[in-house]
Amino acid sequence: MAQSALPDPPQPRRPRRPLLVAVVVGAAMALAACGGGGGGGGGSSSSASGGSAAGASASSAPSGSGATVEDQLGFDEAGILARESRVEAAIAQCMKNEGFEYIPIDPLAQRAALVGSSRLSDQDFLRQFGYGISTLWGRGTNTGDPNERLRASLGAADRRAYDRTLWGENTGATFEEAVDSGHFDRLGGCTLKATEQVFGGAQVLTQLQNKLDQLDDRIAEDPRMVKALERWSTCMADAGYRYEDPDEIDSDLVKRMEKIVGPIPGPFATGPPPGERPQPYNHAALRTLQQDEVSIARADTSCERKRIEPVESVVRPQYEARFRQQNRTLISAIRPVR
């Protein structure tokens, strides 16, 4: 049930990415402490954003300040972690109002328990864990989730009522999972109420998700970005890795991972899907894959910096300027981090 806030490893620009994972570091990735992981976090892109808009309103950052749309919305590390903490607190209050106990999870403490540091930089994460596809396996534990223990202590009928109150119709549909996948429409119960309280509404987030997807599509289709991606592929080949598109890295690593340990819930998995027992696996083969993942991630980042970032730093602001003009009302609907 508990989720961990992890840095989004540096990756080349993906044509699509989850709404709140478009930051270089500190995005709240879904990592179930009971052994599962987010359903699609590895396919998300990273944005080379440096500044923070966490303390400002969603519409306060000037368009000519050099801040990205994500900066303007307060979706940097500080903003994400602050919002996650507020959602947890709001869930606890909502559950209390319904007669249930819920202990808010500290995202920084969860991150520290998993990777050894509450404030791991993107580069440190990359050097140690690559993309987090194979490298976090075995690090998850449910001992740090007091809510899982509370839930397990309930009888069958009370547990069903607890689940329905917390999640609505989609049991296990957490805020962090929605952040990772962009599927805010699956939220229900106190989780939905808390998300709407913190962000301004799940419908607003879904609309913004779709708009940002379309923005990334247009940027990716720009001839300058297409050429940059070709150069990235050549750079990766020179480093010994043949990929035509960054998304191929994720799918390749997941496929190789599943050949070793069996089905996994997705990237950032710390164990098999909830309810399934871990299968025996070749530990030496997993260590080899983990080392290869880190090496690929380092080459990926180097090629991105040389081939993609210089082009995107010119292309993206042009498209985002139009995006701001066309979506002022929607952007202003996102509640600021307070």
Side-chain angles (χ1 to χ4, degrees):
M1 285 166 53
Q3 308 291 326
S4 296
L6 281 181
D8 191 20
Q11 302 171 37
R13 175 65 52 185
R14 264 70 168 168
R16 291 186 175 88
R17 83 273 189 259
L19 173 62
L20 303 185
V21 193
V23 290
V24 171
V25 63
M29 303 306 297
L31 273 170
C34 56
S44 67
S45 72
S46 298
S47 190
S49 57
S52 169
S57 70
S59 59
S60 64
S63 59
S65 65
T68 66
V69 170
E70 286 83 9
D71 289 332
Q72 181 179 357
L73 292 168
F75 293 161
D76 62 338
E77 177 182 10
I80 292 297
L81 292 177
R83 282 186 167 112
E84 184 174 5
S85 295
R86 288 179 58 205
V87 167
E88 286 287 323
I91 289 175
Q93 184 60 53
C94 176
M95 293 291 285
K96 181 179 180 180
N97 294 342
E98 296 297 329
F100 293 103
E101 183 179 5
Y102 180 90
I103 301 174
I105 302 300
D106 181 352
L108 290 175
Q110 287 288 312
R111 183 198 296 183
L114 189 68
V115 300
S117 173
S118 63
R119 298 190 181 278
L120 201 66
S121 72
D122 58 326
Q123 290 303 315
D124 286 340
F125 184 91
L126 182 146
R127 282 191 290 267
Q128 296 180 49
F129 303 105
Y131 304 105
I133 293 175
S134 67
T135 52
L136 299 176
W137 193 259
R139 301 177 73 92
T141 172
N142 62 359
T143 59
D145 182 4
N147 297 302
E148 183 60 30
R149 295 195 296 272
L150 285 171
R151 181 174 174 272
S153 70
L154 299 174
D158 287 340
R159 189 181 305 124
R160 286 193 296 271
Y162 184 98
D163 291 351
R164 187 166 54 253
T165 303
L166 177 60
W167 292 310
E169 297 301 319
N170 296 310
T171 300
T174 65
F175 163 76
E176 293 82 2
E177 183 179 285
V179 164
D180 185 31
S181 68
H183 296 155
F184 294 94
D185 56 345
R186 297 192 69 249
L187 296 180
C190 285
T191 304
L192 174 61
K193 292 178 182 177
T195 302
E196 291 182 334
Q197 177 180 327
V198 172
F199 283 94
Q203 184 176 1
V204 171
L205 288 172
T206 299
Q207 291 174 351
L208 186 57
Q209 166 74 65
N210 294 334
K211 294 287 187 179
L212 289 172
D213 283 347
Q214 295 168 15
L215 171 65
D216 273 353
D217 284 341
R218 291 192 294 271
I219 293 173
E221 292 166 359
D222 186 285
R224 293 167 292 180
M225 290 300 295
V226 172
K227 188 66 175 179
L229 186 60
E230 293 173 355
R231 291 172 177 162
W232 170 87
S233 180
T234 299
C235 178
M236 290 294 288
D238 291 341
Y241 306 107
R242 297 191 175 279
Y243 295 105
E244 296 297 323
D245 184 273
D247 284 332
E248 294 179 7
I249 298 176
D250 299 331
S251 58
D252 176 47
L253 291 173
V254 169
K255 185 182 300 183
R256 293 166 61 184
M257 177 68 172
E258 291 189 328
K259 285 183 179 180
I260 298 172
V261 303
I264 63 175
F268 302 95
T270 59
E276 295 189 14
R277 293 179 178 272
Q279 301 179 12
Y281 64 89
N282 187 324
H283 290 253
L286 179 58
R287 285 194 297 271
T288 298
L289 174 59
Q290 291 170 339
Q291 292 169 357
D292 197 26
E293 176 178 338
V294 172
S295 296
I296 292 172
R298 291 176 177 177
D300 181 1
T301 303
S302 176
C303 290
E304 175 193 7
R305 287 175 176 167
K306 290 186 289 187
R307 305 304 184 206
I308 292 182
E309 286 185 2
V311 178
E312 186 174 10
S313 66
V314 174
V315 174
R316 177 164 288 275
Q318 298 172 357
Y319 284 86
E320 289 197 347
R322 290 193 291 271
F323 181 89
R324 287 186 176 94
Q325 294 175 352
Q326 296 168 357
N327 297 280
R328 289 177 179 174
T329 302
L330 183 59
I331 290 173
S332 65
I334 299 295
R335 290 180 179 171
V337 179
R338 289 187 287 271

